[in-house]
Amino acid sequence: MRRLAVPVAVLAGALTLAGCGGSDDTAAELSVGASYMPQPVSADMAAGFLTITNKGAAKDELTSVTSDVAGRVTMHDTVGGSMQEVTSFAVPAHGRLVFRSGGNHLMFEKLNRRPKQGDTITLKLKFAKSGPLTVEMPVKSATYNPSTGH
Ligand code: CU
């Protein structure tokens, strides 16, 4: 059994490094940008958009989204002009997962308050492999266009 002692110790060291988010080239490295919520026109539902960038060499998967403003946040994609709920989204290695108007989007349901332009709402994103990310999402005008910035 002595022969097992060294490999086990090495493995434990590797796990500790990965847990610290160190430079592990087999892990995803996720960051979030370009997030916004158009001020909702309805009192009980809102949409949200963001981009998740993965600089790592491993793919990951967005598996759930929660927010302080909504009883439930669902993930939708858009196929042939109609949206459908999905249970996860792939985040490719060295790639991006993009949510944008007319495509992938988040839907905030059972709003407990109605977000107004200028507010910031907090989201928590959970992934299959990486640790959770917290996003501060600004509320923009109902007609906000991210490519023009207003
Ligand atoms: Cu939808």
Side-chain angles (χ1 to χ4, degrees), residues 13-150:
L15 288 173
T16 304
L17 274 180
C20 292
S23 57
D24 176 353
D25 62 6
T26 63
E29 288 178 45
L30 305 179
S31 60
V32 176
S35 77
Y36 73 99
M37 169 183 283
Q39 179 175 293
V41 291
S42 133
D44 52 21
M45 191 174 283
F49 306 100
L50 49 81
T51 297
I52 300 172
T53 300
N54 181 3
K55 289 196 170 128
K59 64 182 178 180
D60 207 336
E61 216 175 295
L62 176 66
T63 54
S64 83
V65 182
T66 52
S67 170
D68 58 336
V69 295
R72 200 166 104 92
V73 183
T74 53
M75 302 184 278
H76 292 230
D77 67 9
T78 303
V79 177
S82 61
M83 68 174 189
Q84 59 188 19
E85 186 172 343
V86 298
T87 55
S88 67
F89 273 113
V91 187
H94 299 298
R96 297 189 304 168
L97 168 60
V98 178
F99 291 82
R100 67 175 145 234
S101 184
N104 300 335
H105 55 279
L106 302 175
M107 293 192 69
F108 297 76
E109 299 169 25
K110 300 179 184 162
L111 293 177
N112 52 40
R113 62 183 169 86
R114 191 167 177 173
K116 294 266 190 305
Q117 183 172 356
D119 289 353
T120 301
I121 63 164
T122 303
L123 311 188
K124 194 169 187 186
L125 310 182
K126 288 191 179 162
F127 298 91
K129 296 176 194 151
S130 304
L133 290 178
T134 299
V135 180
E136 300 294 323
M137 175 178 271
V139 181
K140 302 289 194 178
S141 72
T143 56
Y144 180 72
N145 180 340
S147 60
T148 62
H150 50 83

